[in-house]
Amino acid sequence: MFQPLARLVALAVALVPQVLAAAPTDSYSDADPAQSGYLPNHNMDPAVVDSSEFGLLWSTKYNNLEKVRTLSNRVPASPQIVFIASSQNWIRTMNAKTGAPLNARQVHTPFLQSEIGCTDIPDTIGIIGTPIIDPATDIAYFFAKTYIPNFRTAGNTGIFNGVYYFHGVNVNTLQDVFPPVLIDGSQSDNAPAKYFVGGVILQRPALTQIGSVVYGGFGGHCDLFNYTGVVVGVDVNQQKVVTNFAVESGPLVPQTNVYNQNGGGGEGGIWMSGMALSTDGANRLFWVSGNGVGHENQGVPASGSSGCRTLGEAAVNLAVGPGGKLSLTDYFQPYDYQGMDGGDQDFGSGGIALLDPGTFKGTGVSKIAVTSGKNGKIYILNANNLGGYKLGPGQTDGVIQTIVTNKAVFGGVGSYPLEGGYIYSTPVGYPTYVYKLGFNGAGVPVFSLVGQTPENSAGRVGVGIPVITTFQGKEGTAILWMCDPDAGLRAWYAVPGGDGKLKRITNIPQVNGLNKFQRPAFGDSRLYVTDATGTLYCLGSPVNLPLNCTSPVNFGSVSLGSSATQTVSCRANIPITKISSVTVGDLRFEVNAGDLPQGPLAKGATFTFPVKWNLETAIVANAPNASYGNTAPGIKSTALTIQTVNGVEGYSTKFPIGLTGTEVSAKPFIVIAPITVDYGGIVITDPDNIPTNSAPFVISNAGASPLTITGYAFTYDDLEDDDIDYTNVTFAQAPSSLGTGFTSTNLPPVGTVIAGGGQISVDSTFTPTEVGSYLSYFFVFSNGGKAFTILEGSASTAPIANFSISTSEGGWLPEQNVIMDFGSVAPGTTSSLKIRICNEGGSVLQISKSKPPNGVFRPEDPTALHESQDIPVNACAYGTVLFVTNAEQPNTPDQTFTNTWTLNTDDINFGVHEVEIRGTVVSRKVGPQNSTGQPVYNYLGCYHEIKPGGRLLVTQQYADQQNTNDRCQEKCNAGKYVFSGTEYQTECYCGNTPPPNLYKSDDTYCNYACSGDKSQTCGGLQTGAGGYISIYYDPTRFTPSLDDTTGTDPGSVSGGPQTVKQSGNYNYIGCYSEVAGRALSGKTPAVPAAGTTIESCTASCQGFQYFGVEFSNECYCGNTINAGSVAQTSDDVTINGCSMLCGGNQTEYCGGANRLEMYKLNASLPVPSGTPVTPTNPPAGGPTNAPSIGAYGYLGCYTEGTNGRALSGKLNPVPGVTLTNELCAAACQGFTYFGTEYSGECYCGNTLGTGAVLAAGGNDPTANGCSNLCNGNKTQYCGGANRLTTYKLNTTSTSTSTSASTSSDTASATATPSTPPGPITVQSLAGYTYLGCYSEATNARALSGLQNPIPAAKVSVESCSAACSAYTYFGVEYAVMLIQVF
């Protein structure tokens, strides 16, 4: 069974305390739990931030391959700590004030990006989702991706061996507070057939904690592989997975067992550009999903409580039930979600923000949620009734509001609940747009565009999520912060000015382009960000300030025509020689330098001075370029800066003070926002069915007296003309015309009164009639003045994408060709070809999907053809693909490389283009050639000549100044040798014995130029450690081992004398010594007339466990290897003694003098056809269920549980590829039950879970379902599909203390079982004696001479002894590594 579930790389700063406590300025998670993006608690004073007192405090560089997430915390009398976690599975802490490192630890080997072919996260994948810290315990929680060697398939790495662990670490020590929890294998609560496979999914969203349960969202890698999006919850008290909710379930969702089948699990990943699952503290979680495969909603409207099971492209509300279990409460799925799926317009590229209900509410709406994504829409949702499917007018979306931007968002919105309420959204490549809360005539919330930043964001994916801070939650102090992958960190005053622009805070220190999808982590008046080079920056204000003054100074409400005065109080922190000057940013705030002290100030001295806000002569105008930003009544703020000459060095010479107040007009004052209503572009594909775009604008009364609307008009004339022609707006027919192409259905009638401080939201629609640009200046007249807004839009024909790939001659292939073929290239070179996408349509073309290759094929510019890139009309965009090949030795076999670049655009007729990229590296050919023109010898590798007992290739041909690899190969070929090698520039060697992989080295060690051809390498030399030999092999007679880096088995040789590795149903186990009375004494077959061969001995010894041959012609059989016969430590026939050729086959070795080629029965292999079997005791037999294993007795074939595992005490303690029932029994000691399943899974427990019952079919494996053979022993059954071969502890077995067992199969045993026969400590081996169980060294390996020379799945004490024969000590640990000392 294989049903995988599920799908950041950026910064994760956690400011946390060194002792248990919480501080109000700490950052324990990524933004706030509601993901609103509003942070009032970090003392970020704009008067300080927008001054020279705010700067770079420190920076620290780490490995540039690390992409980190950051959090922070502090307590009184303890330094604040910065906690970071990285994509390489490193966690670190440092002093938040100084940057000094405190602790560091790598929790696991990271997962390799190269395994998956998705380049969204480069290099390594480890801790990606931002951790969360529990302030009550100082424990940081996170998910880490890594490998378990041989877990699901052979090997130390590989996609299928990828897993996720959940960690809880003490932030003060970075040590685990409980053993890491393995997530793999957990089943989905709502889809039990699906279970978690960590290799194919990605944990990208930041984590969320509710009570004792930490929740994480999972999605996929570029929509590759068989995955399903999931939410996993881990209870930190129980230290186990308590819930697993699948995004896609039910009969319409694909359900396959192939892990690398794209779409096989239903998709629906949760990634949200790294935003956390949001929560409002009401035991519910909100999130948004991406593309899904199943489509349960097919046109019929459905409520959010309908229980839809295919939740791809949906905003979802999950209830958190008892024990942390998750269940579906509500959802919203856009009416066009199936089209979004087809166009890769991920709804889930942005997260969901829950806005402050104290501000963001209205008629029928008590809590608002906001989400957005790639499809260019911002959805304003009722958080308590998300909207279901097609519940709006005309079966559109039943949501509060849809803001159509036609601009893709990767990330979410930020919000600011003060000064009327604002939200902020940053599409890729565009400014940050500001929308203000308003209300329609019925009091329903409506958001209108009121401003934007003057600067654009990066034109590529990775733009951060807007964050808004205030100084102690005060109005007039809001700052908008944005992290940009190109521009670095930027900040603006968060409320737009009268010109609709946000004022940039320009003195923010320049940092490099920041990591993708990042939000700053804030501490106390400091913030932390990381860039793409691995540098962590701390920005803030210096702690060494000369004064401590009142800030900010709030003047309250001041009417136009009046003034107000406030007193500023200050204390000197140090001796001050003098106050040299005082300045203010807005001249309406008046301060007299003569009111400040004129002479020196002692430390501790205090003084006060007045500041006057003078509005006595102020004239407020709604012209966009008025002085001081004074274009409308409202909140005003500026900075007052005191300049000092200090008597002590090391202190700042400037002290900023914030001034703020509310400007009030007693008369009515009309304001229209936004200044420009931009409806964007409309694409006309059918002249008879032209779409429309809608957008609201707001008419506000910024005065205190009632405002009466007296009329409306529009004009197309330039407003600077002397003679402007207006067209009055009438209400003769609906809708009202606001100019050609623009209408409104709810324009307030003339005479409408707007109360002081009130507002009315007006809905407007752009309906073009033909292709072109549309513009209207729309005016509103009132007793509070007149105001206007600019209405603009455009209409064009659809974009048309033209795709082509370049040729090597500089031309372009036909559009339908999607193969990029580099052909044959030389090693050590770089080649390039291009992809071109041109826009031949009438409107801007956007690249909606781009997944470039990585590895030997990679983009020359990583930003080329990026997702959300716009291609103007009649323009082209290019992406250059480089084929970068490594240098190779001559005669390296040709190697063909392949990769893909997946592309799509918003041209509805374009479709997904998967560009197949391929190229072949063809090395230089030297030496003799065969009949096909290929070299006789292929390059094998560079080997170290340190083998005990002699050279790797024993026959030297010559040593002279004419040596080349081709000449040496000619010599070896003439002698019919399998191997050829050159060394020391001048020497040539030949041989038939494969060189052990133990001595294989990196090719860089073979760096000697051949004496006869300086362009070739002939070995190398390392002083004091032997030489290096360049070895070539005849591929028709030698097959290299698949594992060419570890172990001692180099492969198999044919044609020349060789050691046969397998014969029939027997495997070669080594060269063994003979003993008195024979090593094998079961049978001595007669020598065949044609002489003995390995194959003839195989046939003669059928039914025995072992056979061996020696002295060329002697064959022996037996069921045991008698005492004293031991395996020789070398596999070199010239050393181990098994060097005699078989009497019946001169190409095989048949032992030697008192040395046997030893073979062991492999019951999983078939008996050779026609071979008679000699019955022996015990017979080979077929698969069986052993009646007892150790202290356990066979219980029967049991079903899996209904809502969980039948046995849940311990999961998969034995590597799956080696599983036997004996190994599972040993691993489950202390448990009442153990069971094996699916050939490679082992489970332990003290009770049988609910629904686990004896399977029907009795003891017949073909009937009861327990018919899978064990991976490690094909003579045993190890369960089946949802069936467990189950054993129970025999409580009546011999024990020093027992009590009666119960009759219930689910009861826990109370007996203490006797120690079963089985694992022993080997006391001696040839040349070695057991010394004891030793601990590892503190900072290094206890034994460091040679590490892991044997593949993990093949480790035994004997094999380790053989591999370490040249060393004084050897040891084994972790079942597979080498440390237990003998």
Side-chain angles (χ1 to χ4, degrees):
M1 173 179 116
F2 172 77
Q3 276 310 312
L5 301 169
R7 220 172 58 123
L8 186 163
V9 179
L11 167 85
V13 176
L15 291 167
V16 296
Q18 278 194 300
V19 298
L20 191 62
T25 58
D26 296 341
S27 291
Y28 292 104
S29 61
D30 189 30
D32 56 310
Q35 296 294 287
S36 73
Y38 174 56
L39 305 174
N41 59 320
H42 298 292
N43 293 327
M44 304 306 291
D45 187 346
V48 176
V49 175
D50 196 8
S51 75
S52 60
E53 304 313 303
F54 189 88
L56 178 64
L57 300 183
W58 54 263
S59 64
T60 301
K61 185 174 178 60
Y62 297 102
N63 185 334
N64 63 3
L65 297 181
E66 290 191 60
K67 313 301 177 187
V68 300
R69 303 294 293 174
T70 313
L71 301 170
S72 73
N73 172 65
R74 88 179 166 134
V75 296
S78 291
Q80 192 175 42
I81 289 176
V82 178
F83 173 90
I84 66 174
S86 86
S87 60
Q88 290 196 332
N89 278 332
W90 278 96
I91 54 176
R92 292 185 171 91
T93 54
M94 60 208 66
N95 185 301
K97 179 179 178 181
T98 67
L102 299 174
N103 290 301
R105 174 187 172 210
Q106 189 176 33
V107 295
H108 297 289
T109 299
F111 188 91
L112 297 176
Q113 175 270 331
S114 58
E115 300 267 25
I116 56 175
C118 172
T119 57
D120 282 352
I121 300 174
D123 305 312
T124 59
I125 302 170
I127 304 167
I128 302 298
T130 303
I132 192 167
I133 297 173
D134 186 345
T137 61
D138 277 5
I139 298 174
Y141 300 106
F142 53 85
F143 291 92
K145 187 162 184 169
T146 182
Y147 300 98
I148 297 180
N150 303 305
F151 185 51
R152 298 185 181 95
T153 188
N156 292 328
T157 59
I159 296 172
F160 211 30
N161 285 332
V163 299
Y164 266 100
Y165 282 102
F166 176 80
H167 282 261
V169 301
N170 185 298
V171 296
N172 303 304
T173 64
L174 299 187
Q175 297 305 304
D176 292 313
V177 296
F178 51 75
V181 178
L182 180 64
I183 307 302
D184 282 60
S186 63
Q187 294 175 286
S188 285
D189 304 329
N190 58 327
K194 296 180 180 290
Y195 66 90
F196 191 101
V197 177
V200 301
I201 57 174
L202 175 64
Q203 200 285 302
R204 193 175 199 117
L207 304 193
T208 302
Q209 183 172 8
I210 299 178
S212 63
V213 181
V214 176
Y215 297 94
F218 291 78
H221 293 287
C222 295
D223 288 336
L224 299 174
F225 311 115
N226 180 340
Y227 79 91
T228 307
V230 289
V231 180
V232 172
V234 179
D235 191 305
V236 300
N237 291 335
Q238 300 183 59
Q239 301 165 23
K240 69 176 185 179
V241 176
V242 294
T243 192
N244 182 324
F245 184 92
V247 175
E248 295 273 344
S249 63
L252 299 181
V253 176
Q255 183 83 10
T256 72
N257 297 321
V258 183
Y259 85 89
N260 59 355
Q261 179 181 352
N262 297 347
E267 301 183 0
I270 304 172
W271 70 285
M272 303 189 299
S273 296
M275 287 183 67
L277 284 64
S278 52
T279 181
D280 56 3
N283 281 331
R284 54 185 186 172
L285 282 173
F286 293 82
W287 45 266
V288 190
S289 60
N291 302 329
V293 176
H295 298 137
E296 193 168 303
N297 287 325
Q298 290 281 355
V300 178
S303 73
S305 58
S306 62
C308 179
R309 291 169 291 180
T310 56
L311 294 171
E313 306 283 22
V316 179
N317 171 7
L318 296 182
V320 180
K325 286 284 187 183
L326 298 175
S327 59
L328 179 64
T329 295
D330 191 13
Y331 74 92
F332 161 64
Q333 202 164 45
Y335 74 92
D336 55 350
Y337 83 100
Q338 288 180 265
M340 292 161 60
D341 271 344
D344 194 48
Q345 297 293 302
D346 275 32
F347 191 23
S349 66
I352 186 167
L354 305 177
L355 307 187
D356 185 341
T359 298
F360 299 98
K361 59 184 178 181
T363 302
V365 183
S366 61
K367 182 168 289 187
I368 292 176
V370 184
T371 187
S372 54
K374 290 186 191 178
N375 65 337
K377 296 179 182 179
I378 302 173
Y379 298 91
I380 312 298
L381 311 176
N382 184 341
N384 297 322
N385 183 11
L386 291 176
Y389 171 67
K390 284 193 173 184
L391 296 182
Q395 294 194 4
T396 56
D397 294 327
V399 299
I400 299 172
Q401 182 184 3
T402 301
I403 302 174
V404 180
T405 67
N406 295 313
K407 299 173 178 69
V409 172
F410 288 75
V413 302
S415 68
Y416 174 43
L418 307 182
E419 304 184 50
Y422 298 83
I423 61 174
Y424 305 79
S425 177
T426 310
V428 175
Y430 291 93
T432 296
Y433 293 100
V434 187
Y435 301 86
K436 187 172 184 179
L437 175 66
F439 302 91
N440 66 14
V444 176
V446 178
F447 287 89
S448 301
L449 178 67
V450 295
Q452 64 185 61
T453 59
E455 300 83 7
N456 287 347
S457 65
R460 61 189 178 98
V461 173
V463 177
I465 299 107
V467 176
I468 296 84
T469 61
T470 54
F471 183 57
Q472 300 173 359
K474 298 176 181 178
E475 292 185 337
T477 65
I479 300 174
L480 165 66
W481 303 88
M482 283 297 302
C483 294
D484 193 277
D486 290 340
L489 179 69
R490 297 194 289 201
W492 300 264
Y493 289 91
V495 176
D499 59 355
K501 303 294 185 182
L502 272 63
K503 180 185 175 184
R504 175 85 178 271
I505 298 176
T506 57
N507 69 304
I508 301 293
Q510 182 63 50
V511 298
N512 293 324
L514 299 177
N515 278 320
K516 292 167 63 175
F517 311 129
Q518 187 175 165
R519 287 190 272 207
F522 293 90
D524 187 1
S525 71
R526 294 182 178 86
L527 65 85
Y528 304 84
V529 291
T530 59
D531 68 17
T533 69
T535 301
L536 170 64
Y537 300 92
C538 173
L539 284 68
S541 58
V543 294
N544 296 329
L545 295 173
L547 296 169
N548 184 9
C549 298
T550 309
S551 182
V553 178
N554 195 334
F555 287 80
S557 296
V558 180
S559 297
L560 291 167
S562 65
S563 63
T565 300
Q566 293 289 332
T567 299
V568 180
S569 300
C570 297
R571 176 185 296 273
N573 293 331
I574 58 170
I576 296 175
T577 303
K578 68 174 182 178
I579 294 176
S580 58
S581 66
V582 59
T583 58
V584 290
D586 184 338
L587 296 183
R588 299 192 191 283
F589 291 90
E590 299 173 353
V591 61
N592 187 346
D595 292 334
L596 277 73
Q598 301 301 302
L601 292 171
K603 179 180 179 180
T606 61
F607 62 93
T608 61
F609 62 94
V611 179
K612 180 180 180 180
W613 190 15
N614 189 351
L615 300 178
E616 296 170 2
T617 61
I619 298 175
V620 178
N622 49 29
N625 295 317
S627 300
Y628 316 125
N630 197 25
T631 61
I635 293 174
K636 311 296 179 184
S637 61
T638 192
L640 180 153
T641 303
I642 299 174
Q643 185 89 27
T644 64
V645 177
N646 299 329
V648 178
E649 293 183 354
Y651 284 77
S652 172
T653 59
K654 294 181 180 180
F655 185 85
I657 299 171
L659 307 177
T660 185
T662 303
E663 185 179 276
V664 178
S665 172
K667 300 177 181 180
F669 191 97
I670 189 170
V671 176
I672 298 182
I675 291 176
T676 300
V677 181
D678 187 351
Y679 299 88
I682 287 180
V683 176
I684 299 177
T685 57
D686 179 1
D688 297 325
N689 186 21
I690 298 177
T692 62
N693 278 348
S694 298
F697 59 87
V698 176
I699 305 172
S700 302
N701 179 7
S705 300
L707 180 146
T708 301
I709 296 175
T710 59
Y712 303 97
F714 60 84
T715 182
Y716 309 118
D717 293 345
D718 190 321
L719 298 186
E720 295 183 357
D721 289 349
D722 294 332
D723 184 18
I724 300 176
D725 293 325
Y726 291 96
T727 300
N728 290 326
V729 176
T730 66
F731 293 83
Q733 59 182 12
S736 302
S737 174
L738 311 182
T740 301
F742 307 104
T743 58
S744 173
T745 58
N746 66 341
L747 193 66
V750 173
T752 297
V753 176
I754 302 176
Q759 62 181 31
I760 294 176
S761 179
V762 179
D763 296 329
S764 64
T765 302
F766 172 44
T767 308
T769 57
E770 60 184 1
V771 171
S773 297
Y774 293 74
L775 176 72
S776 173
Y777 299 98
F778 175 71
F779 281 79
V780 182
F781 301 90
S782 74
N783 64 336
K786 67 179 180 180
F788 72 91
T789 184
I790 303 171
L791 310 179
E792 60 184 30
S794 66
S796 60
T797 56
I800 300 174
N802 181 283
F803 172 90
S804 50
I805 297 172
S806 68
T807 67
S808 57
E809 294 81 18
W812 297 94
L813 295 170
E815 183 174 5
Q816 64 271 19
N817 188 302
V818 291
I819 298 176
M820 177 179 281
D821 193 347
F822 283 84
S824 298
V825 300
T829 62
T830 298
S831 305
S832 65
L833 291 173
K834 293 182 179 181
I835 295 174
R836 181 181 68 183
I837 300 178
C838 295
N839 182 3
E840 298 178 348
S843 55
V844 172
L845 176 72
Q846 186 176 83
I847 298 175
S848 60
K849 184 169 189 172
S850 179
K851 303 301 179 185
N854 190 41
V856 294
F857 297 110
R858 65 173 183 266
E860 183 179 46
D861 179 359
T863 65
L865 301 182
H866 63 79
E867 288 184 3
S868 76
Q869 180 175 339
D870 288 337
I871 305 175
V873 175
N874 296 324
C876 298
Y878 298 85
T880 299
V881 178
L882 301 180
F883 185 15
V884 183
T885 62
N886 293 323
E888 294 179 349
Q889 297 292 335
N891 294 8
T892 299
D894 295 349
Q895 186 172 4
T896 298
F897 294 89
T898 61
N899 211 317
T900 59
W901 192 332
T902 303
L903 291 158
N904 200 356
T905 72
D906 60 355
D907 175 355
I908 60 175
N909 298 313
F910 186 72
V912 175
H913 279 50
E914 188 162 291
V915 181
E916 180 184 340
I917 307 170
R918 62 195 185 197
T920 302
V921 180
V922 179
S923 67
R924 177 183 177 185
K925 303 298 189 285
V926 300
Q929 297 181 351
N930 58 28
S931 58
T932 64
Q934 294 300 309
V936 171
Y937 291 94
N938 284 348
Y939 181 68
L940 184 62
C942 179
Y943 285 76
H944 202 178
E945 284 276 32
I946 55 172
K947 188 183 73 169
R951 291 193 171 276
L952 294 171
L953 303 181
V954 297
T955 305
Q956 183 172 1
Q957 295 295 320
Y958 59 81
D960 59 32
Q961 295 301 314
Q962 287 75 47
N963 184 38
T964 62
N965 286 297
D966 38 327
R967 180 181 172 216
C968 185
Q969 291 168 21
E970 293 283 3
K971 289 285 188 180
C972 295
N973 185 48
K976 302 196 179 301
Y977 287 98
V978 177
F979 300 96
S980 169
T982 55
E983 190 170 1
Y984 294 117
Q985 296 184 305
T986 62
E987 300 176 5
C988 169
Y989 295 88
C990 308
N992 287 318
T993 301
N997 288 329
L998 182 64
Y999 307 115
K1000 192 169 186 180
S1001 304
D1002 191 274
D1003 283 345
T1004 56
Y1005 287 105
C1006 286
N1007 55 6
Y1008 270 20
C1010 299
S1011 58
D1013 182 351
K1014 301 302 183 183
S1015 67
Q1016 299 182 27
T1017 57
C1018 287
L1021 175 66
Q1022 183 174 343
T1023 304
Y1028 290 88
I1029 181 171
S1030 302
I1031 297 182
Y1032 295 77
Y1033 71 99
D1034 181 347
T1036 66
R1037 296 190 290 164
F1038 173 69
T1039 303
S1041 169
L1042 292 178
D1043 181 359
D1044 63 356
T1045 58
T1046 61
T1048 58
D1049 180 9
S1052 59
V1053 174
S1054 62
Q1058 60 176 300
T1059 300
V1060 177
K1061 299 299 183 180
Q1062 178 186 322
S1063 178
N1065 53 338
Y1066 287 82
N1067 290 336
Y1068 176 71
I1069 61 173
C1071 178
Y1072 277 66
S1073 61
E1074 186 59 281
V1075 296
R1078 294 289 175 203
L1080 300 175
S1081 54
K1083 180 182 177 183
T1084 305
V1087 178
T1092 294
T1093 64
I1094 298 297
E1095 293 74 17
S1096 68
C1097 194
T1098 302
S1100 298
C1101 292
Q1102 285 298 320
F1104 288 91
Q1105 289 292 309
Y1106 301 93
F1107 77 82
V1109 288
E1110 64 177 323
F1111 287 109
S1112 296
N1113 275 314
E1114 298 179 8
C1115 171
Y1116 301 96
C1117 320
N1119 285 317
T1120 60
I1121 300 175
N1122 293 326
S1125 177
V1126 296
Q1128 303 306 291
T1129 57
S1130 174
D1131 61 353
D1132 188 336
V1133 298
T1134 63
I1135 297 174
N1136 61 31
C1138 286
S1139 58
M1140 291 186 177
L1141 303 181
C1142 297
N1145 186 346
Q1146 295 295 298
T1147 66
E1148 298 176 348
Y1149 290 113
C1150 278
N1154 292 312
R1155 292 290 187 270
L1156 293 97
E1157 304 280 359
M1158 190 71 76
Y1159 293 80
K1160 184 178 180 180
L1161 179 68
N1162 183 344
S1164 66
L1165 296 174
V1167 176
S1169 177
T1171 302
V1173 178
T1174 304
T1176 62
N1177 186 24
T1184 61
N1185 289 311
S1188 63
I1189 297 177
Y1192 291 88
Y1194 179 63
L1195 198 60
C1197 179
Y1198 274 67
T1199 65
E1200 266 291 7
T1202 53
N1203 295 310
R1205 291 285 181 195
L1207 299 174
S1208 58
K1210 195 173 185 181
L1211 309 181
N1212 292 318
V1214 179
V1217 295
T1218 61
L1219 182 71
T1220 65
N1221 285 304
E1222 289 80 5
L1223 289 175
C1224 188
C1228 292
Q1229 289 299 309
F1231 288 92
T1232 305
Y1233 299 88
F1234 79 83
T1236 53
E1237 184 174 5
Y1238 291 112
S1239 300
E1241 299 177 9
C1242 170
Y1243 301 95
C1244 322
N1246 287 319
T1247 61
L1248 288 170
T1250 303
V1253 297
L1254 194 64
N1259 289 325
D1260 183 355
T1262 61
N1264 61 31
C1266 286
S1267 59
N1268 284 18
L1269 303 182
C1270 302
N1271 285 340
N1273 186 345
K1274 300 301 183 180
T1275 67
Q1276 299 178 353
Y1277 290 113
C1278 277
N1282 289 311
R1283 294 290 188 273
L1284 292 96
T1285 297
T1286 307
Y1287 287 79
K1288 182 182 179 183
L1289 187 69
N1290 182 1
T1291 56
T1292 61
S1293 61
T1294 305
S1295 172
T1296 56
S1297 174
T1298 62
S1299 59
S1301 64
T1302 68
S1303 60
S1304 172
D1305 282 340
T1306 60
S1308 296
T1310 57
T1312 301
S1314 61
T1315 302
I1320 62 170
T1321 299
V1322 178
Q1323 298 298 318
S1324 64
L1325 287 168
Y1328 290 96
T1329 301
Y1330 177 65
L1331 292 181
C1333 181
Y1334 280 64
S1335 64
E1336 265 291 9
T1338 53
N1339 295 312
R1341 289 286 182 194
L1343 300 177
S1344 58
L1346 180 64
Q1347 297 186 21
N1348 297 321
I1350 301 167
K1354 298 181 180 180
V1355 166
S1356 67
V1357 175
E1358 291 79 4
S1359 64
C1360 186
S1361 166
C1364 295
S1365 61
Y1367 293 87
T1368 306
Y1369 299 91
F1370 77 87
V1372 292
E1373 68 175 331
Y1374 292 118
V1376 298
M1377 295 177 64
L1378 310 180
I1379 293 296
Q1380 187 178 1
V1381 178
F1382 282 75

